[in-house]
């Protein structure tokens, strides 16, 4: 029966040697089941967790020592195929124990973390996060408008103004969230359309800084662009979104003071770096800030956690890169590059 199961199944003994593998394991990893029998799992498949650290290599997961635990929680594990390539999988399974509760082995079920499955799970994740994010501004819009309608006569102008400002602000939040979601779906399905034109990055940055100043009156940015900075062939709206997010993030999570926006020309590409003088981001969080919905726990309200994910997508859609470096206690720099296209070539393509 186990041969008919479409998912790859591996059974390991107490020493983490493979004692059973079904044909689906070969489809997934290229290893023939017969060759796997008796082999130490960590040696042939080199399983690694999300953080890149080896798993099943000499010790069991913490939960294995708890006698009452039978099921392994689903984990994302990367294994090495027979041809040396890596494969991302989702692994579930159950522990096998003797009558005294001692571990005798484990049965693992591996599934390729293919794009479709990945998108399906991120779809559910998006719906639940977004429903929550949309509800709070809408609740406030509904609350204030009802109040205004029911008590119009009894409210003074200042109160009315405050409520309308709040409604206006929350409506912006909803609009922005929806725009972000549309961007994500376009980026993920490759349907993002860039309306490219010649853009002066220095002018764009200075316009953005003026706009952000309306919200952060104490914003103090030093913008420095080298003389004769070449124009880039890019979508100005998308670049505005990227730079705005970087500058706003620096204001919100670092400090509006002592910020620097610096343009650089480097061979066949240009770069723009936004540096702040905030607390910095610890190494362990740094790569995560680019993932969907990631927000650091920093004891103050944050946004939706989509800005940097989208910004990186938008920069990459232009053929550039967006990276972050940070020194704790000194600040963080987000730097993106854009290729300098040969304009004649670009216009022809
Ligand atoms: P959104 O941009 O969608 O409104 P957000 O600002 O929370 O929401 P991102 O822009 O993706 O989302 O940023 C993700 C997280 O990274 C932030 O919540 C914050 O914790 C952290 N972060 C971003 N920029 C900085 C910075 N300059 N200094 C310190 N932490 C930062
Ligand atoms: Mg942001």
């Amino acid at each position: 029966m186990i041969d008919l199961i479409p998912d790859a199944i591996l059974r390991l003994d107490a020493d983490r040697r493979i004692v059973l593998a079904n044909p689906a394991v070969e489809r997934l990893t290229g290893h023939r089941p017969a060759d796997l029998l008796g082999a130490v799992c960590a040696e042939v498949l080199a399983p690694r967790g999300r953080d890149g650290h080896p798993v099943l290599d000499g010790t069991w997961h913490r939960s294995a020592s708890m006698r009452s635990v039978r099921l392994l929680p689903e984990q994302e594990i990367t294994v090495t195929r027979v041809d040396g390539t890596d494969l991302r999988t989702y692994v579930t399974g159950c522990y096998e124990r003797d009558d005294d509760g001692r571990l005798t082995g484990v049965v693992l079920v591996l599934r390729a973390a293919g794009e479709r499955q990945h998108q399906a799970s991120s779809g559910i994740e998006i719906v639940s996060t977004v429903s929550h994010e949309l509800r709070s501004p809408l609740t406030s819009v509904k609350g204030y408008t009802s109040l205004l309608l029911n008590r119009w006569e009894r409210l003074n102008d200042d109160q009315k103004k405050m409520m309308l400002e709040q409604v206006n602000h929350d409506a912006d939040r909803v609009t922005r969230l929806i725009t972000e979601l549309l961007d994500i779906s376009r980026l993920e399905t490759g349907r993002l359309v860039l309306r490219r034109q010649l853009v002066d990055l220095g002018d764009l940055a200075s316009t953005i800084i003026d706009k952000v100043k309306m919200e952060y009156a104490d914003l103090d940015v030093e913008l420095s662009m080298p003389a004769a900075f070449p124009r880039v062939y890019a979508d100005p709206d998308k670049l505005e979104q990227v730079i705005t997010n970087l500058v706003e993030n620096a204001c919100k999570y670092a400090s509006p003071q002592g910020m620097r926006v610096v343009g650089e020309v480097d061979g066949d590409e240009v770069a723009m770096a936004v540096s702040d003088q905030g607390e910095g981001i610890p190494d362990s969080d740094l790569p995560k800030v680019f993932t969907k919905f990631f927000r650091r726990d920093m004891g103050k309200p944050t946004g939706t956690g989509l800005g940097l994910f989208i910004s990186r997508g938008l920069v990459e859609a232009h053929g550039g890169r967006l990276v972050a470096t940070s020194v704790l206690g000194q600040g963080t720099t987000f730097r993106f590059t854009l290729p300098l296209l040969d304009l004649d070539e670009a216009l022809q393509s």
Side-chain angles (χ1 to χ4, degrees):
M1 210 194 76
I2 201 166
D3 286 358
L4 298 174
I5 296 179
D7 291 327
I9 307 233
L10 282 176
R11 185 176 185 180
L12 313 185
D13 66 11
D15 299 322
R16 292 168 293 276
R17 284 180 191 280
I18 299 172
V19 291
L20 185 148
N22 72 348
V25 170
E26 182 171 356
R27 286 199 290 278
L28 205 62
T29 67
H31 288 285
R32 294 204 348 249
D35 298 341
L36 289 174
L37 293 188
V40 175
C41 179
E43 285 171 10
V44 279
L45 295 173
R48 278 142 289 151
R50 268 184 97 139
D51 52 5
H53 284 297
V55 291
L56 291 171
D57 67 328
T59 50
W60 293 102
H61 186 259
R62 265 178 298 114
S63 59
S65 62
M66 292 180 261
R67 288 163 186 243
S68 56
V69 177
R70 228 179 73 77
L71 294 180
L72 260 83
E74 185 175 74
Q75 297 169 52
E76 189 184 307
I77 290 185
T78 302
V79 296
T80 304
R81 285 205 194 87
V82 76
D83 61 4
T85 56
D86 278 348
L87 175 74
R88 218 161 49 87
T89 65
Y90 291 126
V91 177
T92 54
C94 60
Y95 294 117
E96 297 185 295
R97 299 183 189 277
D98 63 15
D99 291 344
D100 295 329
R102 263 191 304 266
L103 195 70
T104 56
V106 65
V107 176
L108 300 173
V109 182
L110 287 78
R111 216 172 262 179
E115 282 314 307
R116 259 183 58 218
Q117 278 171 33
H118 180 65
Q119 274 183 13
S121 72
S122 66
I124 293 167
E125 182 193 27
I126 288 189
V127 170
S128 64
T129 311
V130 164
S131 316
H132 176 80
E133 295 283 338
L134 286 173
R135 196 159 58 198
S136 52
L138 284 179
T139 308
S140 121
V141 167
K142 173 74 190 154
Y144 284 122
T145 45
S146 316
L147 212 70
L148 284 165
L149 288 171
N150 295 331
R151 306 251 172 107
W152 187 260
E153 257 69 66
R154 275 180 279 161
L155 294 169
N156 66 33
D157 281 357
D158 279 349
Q159 289 170 318
K160 286 178 189 161
K161 185 154 183 251
M162 181 281 285
M163 291 181 191
L164 286 172
E165 269 168 2
Q166 192 60 42
V167 169
N168 188 40
H169 174 86
D170 287 322
D172 282 348
R173 240 175 88 191
V174 175
T175 313
R176 172 160 168 200
L177 188 60
I178 291 173
T179 316
E180 287 185 337
L181 291 169
L182 288 172
D183 274 342
I184 288 194
S185 93
R186 290 194 193 110
L187 280 168
E188 286 188 337
T189 54
R191 280 184 293 119
L192 185 86
V193 181
L194 295 179
R195 296 200 173 75
R196 289 187 192 250
Q197 59 189 70
L198 282 174
V199 182
D200 184 320
L201 268 187
D203 286 352
L204 186 65
S206 126
T207 318
I208 292 168
I209 292 168
D210 288 342
K211 275 194 203 168
V212 178
K213 241 180 213 151
M214 292 200 248
E215 206 179 333
Y216 295 88
D218 53 346
L219 181 63
D220 156 38
V221 189
E222 183 195 328
L223 173 63
S224 90
M225 302 296 289
F229 192 83
R231 290 192 290 172
V232 288
Y233 189 59
D235 184 327
D237 292 341
K238 306 289 183 236
L239 293 188
E240 172 166 354
Q241 217 175 319
V242 173
I243 301 169
T244 305
N245 186 41
L246 298 181
V247 175
E248 278 184 356
N249 277 356
C251 289
K252 274 195 277 185
Y253 311 124
S255 159
Q257 242 111 76
M259 212 187 292
R260 279 167 53 83
V261 176
V262 179
E264 297 154 29
V265 187
D266 185 9
D268 55 0
E269 60 182 25
V270 295
M272 179 166 263
V274 177
S275 308
D276 64 55
Q277 296 189 1
E279 288 299 305
I281 304 174
D283 280 351
S284 54
D285 275 353
L286 208 51
K288 296 189 205 152
V289 297
F290 294 103
T291 54
K292 233 186 284 181
F293 295 122
F294 177 81
R295 296 174 269 199
R296 292 179 51 232
D297 184 10
M298 43 203 322
K300 56 180 170 183
T302 57
T304 322
L306 292 176
L308 288 171
F309 174 80
I310 294 173
S311 300
R312 178 176 263 183
L314 293 176
V315 169
E316 286 176 357
H318 282 87
R321 299 177 310 280
L322 169 64
V323 294
T325 47
S326 191
V327 182
L328 279 185
Q330 290 184 22
T332 309
T333 299
F334 285 88
R335 181 175 187 271
F336 68 87
T337 63
L338 292 171
L340 273 179
L341 296 184
D342 181 334
L343 198 56
D344 292 334
E345 206 176 280
L347 289 174
Q348 273 162 25
S349 63

